[in-house]
Amino acid sequence: MLLAELAVLYLLVLFCKSRAALRFIRTYPQPETAVSLEQVAIFQPILSGDPTLEQTLAANILPLRGASFYWLVDNDDPAAHAIIDALREKHPDAAIIKRSYPAAPEGINPKLFKVNQALASCQQKYCVVLDDDTKLPLTTVQGLIAALQDCSLATGLPQYRSDGNFPSVLLAAFVNNNASMTYLSTLLFMNPITINGMCYAFQREEFVRWGGFQSVLHHLTDDLAVAGMVLAQGGTIRQIPDRQIIQTHLPDIPAYFRQMHRWYVFANILFAQQPLRIKGLLTVLHGIQPLLLAALLAAFLFSPSLLHSGIILCTLALRHRIIMQHNKEQKTSNLKAITLSILSELLQSVHHLHALLYRRIRWRSRVYTVHASDKFESVKRGE
Protein backbone atom coordinates (compact mmCIF):
# COMPACT_ATOMS: atom_id res chain seq x y z
CA MET A 1 0.00 0.00 0.00
CA LEU A 2 1.78 3.12 -1.29
CA LEU A 3 0.14 5.56 1.09
CA ALA A 4 1.04 3.53 4.18
CA GLU A 5 4.64 3.14 2.99
CA LEU A 6 4.93 6.88 2.41
CA ALA A 7 3.54 7.55 5.89
CA VAL A 8 6.03 5.18 7.53
CA LEU A 9 8.97 6.64 5.60
CA TYR A 10 7.93 10.21 6.38
CA LEU A 11 7.56 9.55 10.10
CA LEU A 12 10.83 7.61 10.17
CA VAL A 13 12.77 10.60 8.78
CA LEU A 14 11.04 13.00 11.16
CA PHE A 15 11.52 10.73 14.17
CA CYS A 16 15.24 10.20 13.48
CA LYS A 17 15.82 13.96 13.15
CA SER A 18 13.92 14.62 16.35
CA ARG A 19 15.73 11.95 18.37
CA ALA A 20 19.12 13.16 17.19
CA ALA A 21 18.32 16.78 18.09
CA LEU A 22 16.84 15.90 21.49
CA ARG A 23 19.83 13.72 22.32
CA PHE A 24 22.15 16.64 21.56
CA ILE A 25 20.12 18.97 23.79
CA ARG A 26 19.98 16.43 26.63
CA THR A 27 23.71 15.79 26.65
CA TYR A 28 24.89 19.37 26.02
CA PRO A 29 26.83 20.67 29.07
CA GLN A 30 25.42 23.72 30.84
CA PRO A 31 27.76 26.66 31.64
CA GLU A 32 29.40 26.22 35.04
CA THR A 33 30.28 29.86 35.65
CA ALA A 34 28.78 33.15 34.52
CA VAL A 35 30.90 35.57 32.53
CA SER A 36 30.98 39.27 33.39
CA LEU A 37 29.06 41.19 30.74
CA GLU A 38 31.64 43.97 30.97
CA GLN A 39 33.80 41.67 28.86
CA VAL A 40 31.16 41.44 26.10
CA ALA A 41 30.72 43.69 23.05
CA ILE A 42 27.50 43.33 21.05
CA PHE A 43 27.82 44.45 17.42
CA GLN A 44 24.49 45.27 15.79
CA PRO A 45 24.52 46.53 12.18
CA ILE A 46 21.32 48.58 12.00
CA LEU A 47 19.17 49.33 8.96
CA SER A 48 15.87 51.17 9.27
CA GLY A 49 12.69 49.93 7.63
CA ASP A 50 11.36 47.51 10.24
CA PRO A 51 8.58 49.10 12.35
CA THR A 52 9.64 47.05 15.40
CA LEU A 53 13.29 48.16 15.23
CA GLU A 54 13.27 50.56 18.19
CA GLN A 55 11.33 48.14 20.38
CA THR A 56 13.71 45.27 19.60
CA LEU A 57 16.86 47.28 20.20
CA ALA A 58 15.48 48.55 23.51
CA ALA A 59 14.53 45.04 24.65
CA ASN A 60 18.21 44.01 24.93
CA ILE A 61 19.44 46.96 26.98
CA LEU A 62 18.22 46.12 30.48
CA PRO A 63 18.63 42.29 30.40
CA LEU A 64 22.21 42.71 29.11
CA ARG A 65 23.19 45.69 31.24
CA GLY A 66 26.96 45.81 31.55
CA ALA A 67 27.60 44.73 27.95
CA SER A 68 28.73 47.33 25.43
CA PHE A 69 26.35 47.84 22.50
CA TYR A 70 28.02 48.90 19.27
CA TRP A 71 25.18 50.16 17.07
CA LEU A 72 26.51 50.38 13.54
CA VAL A 73 24.55 52.58 11.17
CA ASP A 74 24.84 54.01 7.66
CA ASN A 75 25.54 57.74 7.27
CA ASP A 76 22.53 58.07 4.97
CA ASP A 77 19.99 56.38 7.26
CA PRO A 78 18.44 59.25 9.26
CA ALA A 79 15.62 57.09 10.63
CA ALA A 80 18.12 54.69 12.22
CA HIS A 81 20.14 57.61 13.64
CA ALA A 82 16.99 59.05 15.21
CA ILE A 83 16.08 55.72 16.84
CA ILE A 84 19.58 55.26 18.27
CA ASP A 85 19.74 58.83 19.60
CA ALA A 86 16.36 58.45 21.26
CA LEU A 87 17.37 55.22 22.98
CA ARG A 88 20.67 56.66 24.15
CA GLU A 89 18.73 59.52 25.72
CA LYS A 90 16.28 57.14 27.42
CA HIS A 91 19.09 54.91 28.73
CA PRO A 92 21.96 57.25 29.66
CA ASP A 93 23.60 54.64 31.90
CA ALA A 94 23.78 51.98 29.17
CA ALA A 95 27.03 51.52 27.25
CA ILE A 96 25.70 52.39 23.79
CA ILE A 97 28.33 53.32 21.21
CA LYS A 98 27.06 54.63 17.89
CA ARG A 99 29.29 54.18 14.86
CA SER A 100 28.30 55.72 11.52
CA TYR A 101 29.75 54.62 8.18
CA PRO A 102 29.47 55.48 4.49
CA ALA A 103 27.74 53.02 2.21
CA ALA A 104 29.66 49.83 1.57
CA PRO A 105 31.45 49.79 -1.78
CA GLU A 106 29.93 47.78 -4.60
CA GLY A 107 30.52 44.06 -4.10
CA ILE A 108 31.19 44.42 -0.35
CA ASN A 109 28.88 42.92 2.28
CA PRO A 110 27.29 45.93 4.04
CA LYS A 111 26.89 44.08 7.34
CA LEU A 112 30.47 42.82 7.53
CA PHE A 113 31.74 46.17 6.23
CA LYS A 114 30.49 47.82 9.42
CA VAL A 115 31.32 44.99 11.84
CA ASN A 116 34.90 44.77 10.56
CA GLN A 117 35.51 48.47 11.24
CA ALA A 118 33.87 48.31 14.67
CA LEU A 119 36.07 45.34 15.61
CA ALA A 120 39.17 47.50 15.23
CA SER A 121 37.98 49.89 17.96
CA CYS A 122 36.61 47.27 20.34
CA GLN A 123 38.47 46.37 23.54
CA GLN A 124 36.16 43.73 25.06
CA LYS A 125 37.34 40.12 25.19
CA TYR A 126 34.21 38.60 23.65
CA CYS A 127 32.23 39.83 20.67
CA VAL A 128 28.66 38.95 19.71
CA VAL A 129 27.32 39.83 16.24
CA LEU A 130 23.57 40.26 16.52
CA ASP A 131 20.96 41.17 13.92
CA ASP A 132 18.93 44.28 14.65
CA ASP A 133 15.65 42.33 14.70
CA THR A 134 16.88 39.89 17.36
CA LYS A 135 16.45 39.77 21.13
CA LEU A 136 19.23 38.04 23.03
CA PRO A 137 18.40 36.36 26.37
CA LEU A 138 21.06 36.49 29.06
CA THR A 139 21.16 32.67 29.20
CA THR A 140 22.07 32.57 25.51
CA VAL A 141 24.91 35.08 26.00
CA GLN A 142 26.26 32.95 28.85
CA GLY A 143 25.96 29.82 26.70
CA LEU A 144 27.80 31.44 23.79
CA ILE A 145 30.65 32.70 25.97
CA ALA A 146 30.96 29.36 27.77
CA ALA A 147 31.24 27.61 24.40
CA LEU A 148 34.08 29.95 23.37
CA GLN A 149 36.31 28.47 26.05
CA ASP A 150 37.05 25.58 23.68
CA CYS A 151 35.99 26.78 20.21
CA SER A 152 36.59 29.74 17.90
CA LEU A 153 33.01 30.56 16.94
CA ALA A 154 29.73 29.85 18.73
CA THR A 155 26.21 30.28 17.41
CA GLY A 156 22.70 29.91 18.79
CA LEU A 157 19.30 28.70 17.58
CA PRO A 158 16.70 31.07 16.08
CA GLN A 159 13.26 31.32 17.62
CA TYR A 160 10.74 33.43 15.76
CA ARG A 161 8.05 35.41 17.59
CA SER A 162 5.04 36.13 15.42
CA ASP A 163 3.17 39.43 15.58
CA GLY A 164 -0.07 37.57 14.86
CA ASN A 165 -0.76 38.25 11.19
CA PHE A 166 -0.87 35.43 8.66
CA PRO A 167 2.56 35.94 6.98
CA SER A 168 4.33 36.19 10.35
CA VAL A 169 2.57 33.11 11.73
CA LEU A 170 3.53 31.16 8.62
CA LEU A 171 7.17 32.23 8.91
CA ALA A 172 7.16 31.43 12.63
CA ALA A 173 5.89 27.94 11.87
CA PHE A 174 8.78 27.37 9.48
CA VAL A 175 11.49 28.65 11.83
CA ASN A 176 10.24 27.24 15.11
CA ASN A 177 9.26 23.83 13.78
CA ASN A 178 12.58 23.29 12.05
CA ALA A 179 15.38 25.20 13.80
CA SER A 180 16.25 22.58 16.39
CA MET A 181 15.99 19.62 14.02
CA THR A 182 17.85 21.42 11.22
CA TYR A 183 20.84 22.72 13.19
CA LEU A 184 21.18 19.98 15.83
CA SER A 185 20.20 16.71 14.18
CA THR A 186 23.28 16.55 11.94
CA LEU A 187 25.76 17.09 14.78
CA LEU A 188 25.86 13.37 15.62
CA PHE A 189 27.30 12.77 12.15
CA MET A 190 29.30 15.89 11.28
CA ASN A 191 30.73 19.11 12.67
CA PRO A 192 28.86 22.37 11.98
CA ILE A 193 29.44 23.65 8.45
CA THR A 194 27.86 27.05 8.94
CA ILE A 195 26.44 29.33 11.62
CA ASN A 196 23.20 31.12 12.29
CA GLY A 197 24.03 34.60 11.05
CA MET A 198 21.42 36.23 13.30
CA CYS A 199 23.65 35.64 16.32
CA TYR A 200 27.20 34.38 16.75
CA ALA A 201 30.09 35.03 19.11
CA PHE A 202 33.89 34.92 19.01
CA GLN A 203 36.96 36.00 20.97
CA ARG A 204 38.24 39.34 19.74
CA GLU A 205 41.97 38.55 19.93
CA GLU A 206 41.69 35.46 17.77
CA PHE A 207 39.72 37.24 15.05
CA VAL A 208 42.05 40.23 15.11
CA ARG A 209 44.97 37.84 14.68
CA TRP A 210 43.23 36.46 11.58
CA GLY A 211 42.79 39.94 10.13
CA GLY A 212 39.20 40.44 11.25
CA PHE A 213 36.60 39.98 8.51
CA GLN A 214 38.79 41.43 5.79
CA SER A 215 39.09 38.19 3.84
CA VAL A 216 35.30 37.69 3.56
CA LEU A 217 34.06 41.23 2.99
CA HIS A 218 33.23 40.37 -0.62
CA HIS A 219 30.82 37.59 0.42
CA LEU A 220 27.10 38.40 0.62
CA THR A 221 26.28 35.25 2.59
CA ASP A 222 28.08 36.43 5.71
CA ASP A 223 27.14 33.47 7.91
CA LEU A 224 28.54 30.95 5.45
CA ALA A 225 31.57 33.14 4.71
CA VAL A 226 32.49 33.67 8.38
CA ALA A 227 32.11 29.96 9.13
CA GLY A 228 34.31 29.11 6.16
CA MET A 229 36.93 31.63 7.23
CA VAL A 230 37.13 30.14 10.73
CA LEU A 231 37.44 26.58 9.43
CA ALA A 232 40.09 27.66 6.89
CA GLN A 233 42.13 29.16 9.74
CA GLY A 234 42.00 25.86 11.62
CA GLY A 235 39.38 27.10 14.06
CA THR A 236 36.32 25.26 15.33
CA ILE A 237 32.59 26.04 15.44
CA ARG A 238 30.21 25.19 18.26
CA GLN A 239 26.44 25.10 17.86
CA ILE A 240 24.67 25.62 21.18
CA PRO A 241 21.02 24.72 21.91
CA ASP A 242 20.21 28.12 23.47
CA ARG A 243 18.00 30.43 21.45
CA GLN A 244 17.76 34.03 20.36
CA ILE A 245 14.36 35.61 19.69
CA ILE A 246 13.60 37.18 16.31
CA GLN A 247 10.60 39.36 15.59
CA THR A 248 10.37 41.03 12.21
CA HIS A 249 7.11 42.47 10.96
CA LEU A 250 5.91 40.93 7.69
CA PRO A 251 3.13 43.12 6.28
CA ASP A 252 1.91 40.78 3.55
CA ILE A 253 2.43 37.50 1.70
CA PRO A 254 4.95 38.97 -0.79
CA ALA A 255 7.11 39.97 2.20
CA TYR A 256 6.94 36.38 3.46
CA PHE A 257 8.03 35.02 0.08
CA ARG A 258 10.88 37.56 -0.15
CA GLN A 259 12.17 36.48 3.27
CA MET A 260 11.97 32.78 2.46
CA HIS A 261 13.49 33.34 -0.96
CA ARG A 262 16.52 35.06 0.55
CA TRP A 263 17.07 32.23 3.02
CA TYR A 264 16.76 29.55 0.38
CA VAL A 265 19.11 31.28 -2.07
CA PHE A 266 21.74 31.25 0.68
CA ALA A 267 20.90 27.65 1.67
CA ASN A 268 21.38 26.52 -1.93
CA ILE A 269 24.79 28.20 -2.04
CA LEU A 270 25.80 26.39 1.15
CA PHE A 271 24.54 23.05 -0.18
CA ALA A 272 26.39 23.42 -3.48
CA GLN A 273 29.73 23.86 -1.68
CA GLN A 274 29.51 20.63 0.31
CA PRO A 275 31.17 17.29 -0.51
CA LEU A 276 28.97 14.48 -1.79
CA ARG A 277 28.58 12.69 1.55
CA ILE A 278 27.37 15.89 3.26
CA LYS A 279 24.98 16.58 0.38
CA GLY A 280 23.59 13.08 0.81
CA LEU A 281 23.10 13.50 4.55
CA LEU A 282 21.40 16.89 4.16
CA THR A 283 19.15 15.54 1.41
CA VAL A 284 18.02 12.57 3.51
CA LEU A 285 17.47 14.55 6.70
CA HIS A 286 16.08 17.78 5.30
CA GLY A 287 15.44 17.62 1.56
CA ILE A 288 13.04 14.69 1.18
CA GLN A 289 10.79 15.36 4.19
CA PRO A 290 8.53 18.02 2.55
CA LEU A 291 8.45 15.96 -0.65
CA LEU A 292 7.29 12.90 1.29
CA LEU A 293 4.55 14.92 2.97
CA ALA A 294 3.39 16.29 -0.39
CA ALA A 295 3.43 12.79 -1.91
CA LEU A 296 1.49 11.43 1.07
CA LEU A 297 -1.27 14.01 0.74
CA ALA A 298 -1.36 13.62 -3.04
CA ALA A 299 -1.72 9.84 -2.69
CA PHE A 300 -4.68 10.37 -0.36
CA LEU A 301 -6.39 12.79 -2.76
CA PHE A 302 -5.85 10.34 -5.60
CA SER A 303 -7.27 7.41 -3.62
CA PRO A 304 -9.41 8.58 -0.68
CA SER A 305 -10.90 5.96 1.62
CA LEU A 306 -11.77 5.49 5.26
CA LEU A 307 -8.56 3.52 5.83
CA HIS A 308 -6.45 6.13 4.10
CA SER A 309 -8.17 8.87 6.11
CA GLY A 310 -7.17 7.07 9.29
CA ILE A 311 -3.56 6.75 8.13
CA ILE A 312 -3.39 10.45 7.22
CA LEU A 313 -4.88 11.56 10.55
CA CYS A 314 -2.56 9.31 12.55
CA THR A 315 0.48 10.51 10.55
CA LEU A 316 -0.38 14.18 11.01
CA ALA A 317 -1.10 13.67 14.72
CA LEU A 318 2.29 12.00 15.24
CA ARG A 319 3.96 14.70 13.15
CA HIS A 320 2.45 17.38 15.35
CA ARG A 321 3.46 15.59 18.54
CA ILE A 322 7.07 15.27 17.36
CA ILE A 323 7.35 18.85 16.14
CA MET A 324 5.89 20.34 19.32
CA GLN A 325 8.84 18.91 21.26
CA HIS A 326 11.01 21.41 19.38
CA ASN A 327 8.72 24.43 18.96
CA LYS A 328 9.33 26.51 22.09
CA GLU A 329 7.14 29.39 20.94
CA GLN A 330 3.79 27.83 20.05
CA LYS A 331 1.58 27.51 23.10
CA THR A 332 -1.59 26.15 21.48
CA SER A 333 -2.41 23.25 19.18
CA ASN A 334 -5.54 24.54 17.48
CA LEU A 335 -6.55 23.57 13.96
CA LYS A 336 -5.31 26.86 12.48
CA ALA A 337 -1.81 26.44 13.94
CA ILE A 338 -1.60 22.82 12.79
CA THR A 339 -2.80 23.73 9.28
CA LEU A 340 -0.26 26.54 8.94
CA SER A 341 2.47 24.22 10.18
CA ILE A 342 1.63 21.72 7.45
CA LEU A 343 1.39 24.48 4.84
CA SER A 344 4.81 25.88 5.81
CA GLU A 345 6.36 22.44 5.30
CA LEU A 346 4.69 21.90 1.93
CA LEU A 347 5.93 25.29 0.74
CA GLN A 348 9.56 24.38 1.42
CA SER A 349 9.93 22.63 -1.93
CA VAL A 350 8.38 25.64 -3.67
CA HIS A 351 10.88 27.98 -2.00
CA HIS A 352 13.75 25.67 -2.92
CA LEU A 353 12.76 25.59 -6.60
CA HIS A 354 12.17 29.35 -6.69
CA ALA A 355 15.63 29.99 -5.24
CA LEU A 356 17.23 27.74 -7.85
CA LEU A 357 15.55 29.55 -10.72
CA TYR A 358 15.61 33.18 -9.53
CA ARG A 359 18.69 34.65 -7.86
CA ARG A 360 17.59 38.20 -7.06
CA ILE A 361 16.94 38.87 -3.37
CA ARG A 362 15.66 41.83 -1.37
CA TRP A 363 16.76 42.85 2.13
CA ARG A 364 14.60 45.76 3.33
CA SER A 365 15.67 48.68 1.10
CA ARG A 366 18.43 46.76 -0.71
CA VAL A 367 18.18 44.48 -3.73
CA TYR A 368 20.93 42.15 -4.97
CA THR A 369 21.42 39.70 -7.80
CA VAL A 370 23.32 36.77 -6.29
CA HIS A 371 25.50 34.60 -8.51
CA ALA A 372 27.57 33.10 -5.69
CA SER A 373 28.46 33.95 -2.12
CA ASP A 374 31.37 36.09 -3.33
CA LYS A 375 29.73 37.35 -6.52
CA PHE A 376 26.73 39.67 -6.22
CA GLU A 377 25.53 42.98 -7.59
CA SER A 378 23.40 45.76 -6.17
CA VAL A 379 20.23 46.43 -8.14
CA LYS A 380 18.44 49.77 -8.19
CA ARG A 381 14.70 49.69 -7.64
CA GLY A 382 12.80 49.51 -10.92
CA GLU A 383 15.49 47.61 -12.82
Side-chain angles (χ1 to χ4, degrees):
M1 184 187 298
L2 177 61
L3 189 141
E5 292 170 348
L6 286 171
V8 170
L9 185 56
Y10 173 80
L11 289 174
L12 180 62
V13 172
L14 188 60
F15 178 80
C16 289
K17 287 170 57 176
S18 175
R19 290 300 97 187
L22 290 174
R23 179 183 174 185
F24 178 87
I25 294 171
R26 186 175 63 253
T27 59
Y28 189 84
Q30 295 301 310
E32 296 181 0
T33 58
V35 67
S36 170
L37 290 183
E38 281 74 16
Q39 301 180 63
V40 178
I42 299 176
F43 297 139
Q44 288 190 275
I46 294 173
L47 181 65
S48 65
D50 188 328
T52 65
L53 177 61
E54 182 172 358
Q55 173 189 347
T56 304
L57 292 174
N60 287 322
I61 294 174
L62 292 180
L64 302 180
R65 182 168 294 279
S68 295
F69 292 90
Y70 288 76
W71 286 349
L72 317 176
V73 63
D74 296 333
N75 292 342
D76 59 353
D77 193 347
H81 281 273
I83 289 172
I84 293 172
D85 293 341
L87 288 174
R88 293 175 75 182
E89 185 174 346
K90 289 179 183 177
H91 302 275
D93 296 332
I96 299 174
I97 301 103
K98 183 174 77 170
R99 293 283 187 266
S100 184
Y101 304 100
E106 179 65 31
I108 296 297
N109 184 302
K111 178 178 175 181
L112 293 181
F113 177 71
K114 291 186 281 192
V115 172
N116 190 53
Q117 295 179 78
L119 179 63
S121 62
C122 168
Q123 297 301 317
Q124 285 75 22
K125 181 177 182 180
Y126 303 105
C127 301
V128 178
V129 178
L130 186 69
D131 276 3
D132 62 6
D133 59 359
T134 304
K135 299 175 184 178
L136 188 59
L138 178 59
T139 53
T140 303
V141 176
Q142 301 289 4
L144 290 168
I145 302 308
L148 289 176
Q149 306 313 306
D150 57 7
C151 75
S152 306
L153 190 65
T155 186
L157 283 177
Q159 179 175 326
Y160 192 92
R161 185 157 292 165
S162 165
D163 62 5
N165 68 341
F166 177 76
S168 295
V169 173
L170 193 58
L171 187 67
F174 170 77
V175 174
N176 298 336
N177 291 351
N178 294 289
S180 173
M181 287 188 283
T182 297
Y183 285 98
L184 305 182
S185 64
T186 58
L187 298 180
L188 291 178
F189 313 102
M190 54 182 273
N191 294 321
I193 56 175
T194 189
I195 57 173
N196 179 257
M198 300 168 185
C199 176
Y200 58 91
F202 56 89
Q203 293 201 44
R204 178 183 58 84
E205 287 187 3
E206 187 169 34
F207 265 56
V208 169
R209 190 167 64 248
W210 292 341
F213 297 90
Q214 192 65 38
S215 64
V216 292
L217 289 180
H218 58 294
H219 286 256
L220 185 61
T221 51
D222 53 276
D223 47 0
L224 174 57
V226 171
M229 179 191 76
V230 169
L231 296 176
Q233 292 285 351
T236 55
I237 300 173
R238 172 76 64 83
Q239 172 71 60
I240 70 170
D242 301 281
R243 298 170 186 259
Q244 63 270 355
I245 315 300
I246 304 100
Q247 182 169 350
T248 305
H249 175 70
L250 294 178
D252 49 34
I253 288 296
Y256 160 79
F257 275 96
R258 287 194 297 270
Q259 178 74 74
M260 295 299 299
H261 180 62
R262 182 165 60 91
W263 286 347
Y264 268 83
V265 167
F266 293 164
N268 287 341
I269 291 173
L270 171 64
F271 182 83
Q273 294 179 354
Q274 302 310 309
L276 185 59
R277 66 177 185 85
I278 300 298
K279 287 180 178 177
L281 178 64
L282 295 178
T283 299
V284 170
L285 288 181
H286 306 312
I288 67 172
Q289 181 184 324
L291 295 175
L292 288 172
L293 181 60
L296 179 63
L297 296 177
F300 172 73
L301 293 176
F302 182 77
S303 179
S305 69
L306 187 60
L307 175 60
H308 287 173
S309 297
I311 293 174
I312 288 290
L313 289 175
C314 288
T315 301
L316 295 181
L318 288 171
R319 171 193 180 273
H320 182 71
R321 183 179 179 86
I322 292 171
I323 284 177
M324 285 304 99
Q325 296 179 81
H326 301 272
N327 190 328
K328 303 300 182 184
E329 189 67 30
Q330 187 170 317
K331 302 297 189 296
T332 61
S333 297
N334 55 49
L335 182 60
K336 177 183 176 182
I338 295 172
T339 301
L340 289 179
S341 172
I342 294 169
L343 177 61
S344 74
E345 184 171 333
L346 293 173
L347 284 172
Q348 290 178 39
S349 298
V350 176
H351 298 312
H352 177 69
L353 181 61
H354 183 211
L356 287 174
L357 298 176
Y358 187 71
R359 306 301 292 268
R360 181 172 292 186
I361 66 169
R362 181 182 299 176
W363 171 235
R364 294 185 189 169
S365 60
R366 293 170 175 157
V367 182
Y368 301 101
T369 299
V370 184
H371 306 285
S373 176
D374 58 350
K375 186 179 180 182
F376 61 96
E377 302 151 5
S378 299
V379 179
K380 294 181 180 180
R381 292 293 182 90
E383 290 187 7

